[in-house]
Amino acid sequence: MIFKPERYKIPDEPQKPFIDVEEIEGYLYNARPDQQIIKNIIAKSLDKHRLNLMEVAYLINADSPESIELIKEGARTLKENIYGNRIVLFAPLYVGNKCTNNCQYCGFRTSNKAQVRKTLEHSELVREVEALEENGQKRLILVFGEHPEYNPEFIASCVKTVYHVKCGNGEIRRVNINAAPMDIEGFKIVKEAGIGTYQIFQETYHPEAYKTYHPGGKKSDYNNRLTALDRAQEAGLDDVGIGALFGLHNWRFEVMALVRHTNHLEACYNVGPHTISFPRLKDASTVNLDPKFIVNDDEFSRIVAILRLAVPYTGLILTAREPAQLRKEILRFGVSQIDGGTKIELGAYAASKNDNQNLDKEQFKINDDRSLNEVIDELLHEDYLPSFCTACYRLGRTGEHFMEFSVPGFIKRFCSPNAMLTLAEYLVDYAPEKTAKKGWEIIENNLNSLNGHQDVPEIRDRIERIKSGERDLYF
Ligand code: SAM
Ligand code: SF4
């Protein structure tokens, strides 16, 4: 078998593009797995080692039902061993849908004259955040189109506004952003405002495909987008999220490229992405694309399971683009974060709109419009531990210093207790009686399962303090 070795070396110029189509296609062409190879690769992953590109290619090419089942079972086991039963919850908050780009799949693209354009005024942004806090949200991701109005100063001021809104016991403790790529100065400005993760999706990593989907606008520059996170790192922003929009190009290529992007960041900056997202293409206002690369549900669950095994230490995000039933199934393969109570029409949280979606006011169609509490009910029912924890980022435990997985026992010592404390806050402040009853049971079960790994009496004490009115207690 002949294939080029992986290039983990630090490139001389960190901003040089690092996706090599031939290299990725070479791996995919050469990987002919049998079940023993698959078993060996899964064992390596369960031993908490990130897989190399050749190994990922083997998993991707494992098309027999038996091998697919092995991969899914491996991902389920890895999720249980590494992440335990926590699921972190967040909500997206769309701030503005003006856009100068023309991404062919997006309802916000500049050529879509049907889209109703809007940027939240300061007072509207405050009302949205109040409404989100009244539902119990603690973590948001602010979403922006690409437009001169949404410059780094504007984004930073939105972030600061969000942190200042306090409604009852509510507050937003972590504001992530999904926005167009910036220069190093721009990234410094948003970092200064206290953002959590800066998230950006390459959409498709295939340069030729990228060109056809992105005619015109700044986003037509593939390399500028690909190197955005290098600039973020240069600016000291080390908490970043990557993603690909599945449905634009061959999913096998995109999974390989996501892993390549991950090992590029690891090689250059000693820190991989905090999260990987894998949005699937959905209907959007006046969008009509060739369905050639559409990913079906079976392929989608394979993608999640393969990513889980490929990058055991990276958080995986599954959004409300997917229907509730599918989300429930896919959670088991290693997802660590989901959104709940999602509304993507601008201003919809404050208007508490529950009516049918209007695609001309939204970026794309979402398929899970359950309330946050309904999502939590289901998680509790499935024995998950819903978490609103924001401790690591607020204590500076990010990037290279992100110890969640490198310090033995870290999850049991910090993550699980913090998940319980933040769930306890939710149960006291926002949960209806039925949810609260089940929630306290789950907390009790989790306390019992800590078995001396952590100072259980101290956690119990903090839970009592929460019941008596204290907030924001964390380890
Ligand atoms: N304007 C920013 C940018 O392009 O980076 C923000 C991106 S957008 C508001 C968030 C993500 O939604 C995009 O990066 C894209 O992956 C995804 N998206 C766009 N159109 C979509 C569609 N029709 N279905 C599903 N996801 C879509
Ligand atoms: Fe604009 Fe982002 Fe939509 Fe592209 S994906 S049209 S850049 S909002």
Side-chain angles (χ1 to χ4, degrees), residues 38 41-42 45-46 51 55-56 59-60 62 67-79 246 251 255 259 278 297-312 314 316 318 329-335:
I38 297 299
I41 294 172
I42 293 172
S45 177
L46 290 178
L51 302 179
E55 290 158 343
V56 179
L59 296 185
I60 288 173
S67 295
I68 292 173
E69 197 36 51
L70 281 175
I71 290 171
K72 289 185 175 172
E73 190 49 45
R76 277 192 287 263
T77 310
L78 192 135
K79 151 112 175 130
F246 282 86
W251 67 263
V255 172
V259 177
F278 29 84
D297 290 356
D298 288 339
E299 290 166 333
F300 192 55
S301 54
R302 275 172 78 185
I303 290 170
V304 180
I306 292 169
L307 282 172
R308 177 66 302 142
L309 291 169
V311 288
T314 309
L316 297 183
L318 177 64
E329 284 164 30
I330 287 182
L331 271 189
R332 306 230 166 268
F333 300 137
V335 169

Side-chain angles (χ1 to χ4, degrees), residues 210-384:
Y210 187 95
K211 227 185 260 172
T212 63
Y213 289 111
H214 302 100
K218 282 195 182 162
K219 197 164 163 180
S220 58
D221 186 343
Y222 172 95
N223 288 338
N224 181 50
R225 197 166 179 90
L226 188 66
T227 54
L229 296 180
D230 297 78
R231 295 192 295 281
Q233 294 282 351
E234 299 281 317
L237 222 173
D238 57 8
D239 189 335
V240 298
I242 63 173
L245 179 54
F246 282 86
L248 300 183
H249 186 65
N250 186 335
W251 67 263
R252 297 169 198 258
F253 182 90
E254 306 293 10
V255 172
M256 290 292 286
L258 284 167
V259 177
R260 182 70 190 89
H261 200 167
T262 299
N263 60 36
H264 165 75
L265 293 174
E266 282 179 1
C268 294
Y269 311 103
N270 274 330
V271 49
H274 187 173
T275 56
I276 296 185
S277 301
F278 29 84
R280 242 189 336 175
L281 193 63
K282 299 293 166 191
D283 284 350
S285 165
T286 71
V287 164
N288 190 7
L289 290 179
D290 184 347
K292 185 167 159 204
F293 292 113
I294 288 300
V295 165
N296 66 33
D297 290 356
D298 288 339
E299 290 166 333
F300 192 55
S301 54
R302 275 172 78 185
I303 290 170
V304 180
I306 292 169
L307 282 172
R308 177 66 302 142
L309 291 169
V311 288
Y313 298 141
T314 309
L316 297 183
I317 301 182
L318 177 64
T319 69
R321 289 175 180 84
E322 302 303 334
Q325 181 57 33
L326 185 68
R327 289 179 104 193
K328 184 169 142 185
E329 284 164 30
I330 287 182
L331 271 189
R332 306 230 166 268
F333 300 137
V335 169
S336 49
Q337 289 191 28
I338 61 171
D339 51 343
T342 298
K343 296 177 199 286
I344 63 172
E345 183 179 327
L346 281 101
Y349 290 113
S352 51
K353 287 183 64 146
N354 263 333
D355 49 352
N356 291 336
Q357 295 171 52
N358 178 350
L359 282 189
D360 291 339
K361 292 184 175 174
E362 296 174 346
Q363 192 187 14
F364 48 77
K365 183 172 170 16
I366 60 164
N367 290 290
D368 181 357
D369 59 1
R370 289 174 298 167
S371 68
L372 175 63
N373 198 72
E374 285 170 315
V375 171
I376 288 180
D377 273 343
E378 183 183 90
L379 290 175
L380 294 171
H381 185 257
E382 297 287 306
D383 267 343
Y384 287 110

Side-chain angles (χ1 to χ4, degrees), residues 96-110 144-146 178 180 203 214 219 225 363:
N97 66 2
K98 294 184 186 172
C99 196
T100 49
N101 292 323
N102 205 13
C103 313
Q104 295 300 291
Y105 43 82
C106 178
F108 294 166
R109 70 195 187 286
T110 189
F144 302 83
E146 180 159 3
N178 182 317
E203 319 298 9
H214 302 100
K219 197 164 163 180
R225 197 166 179 90
Q363 192 187 14

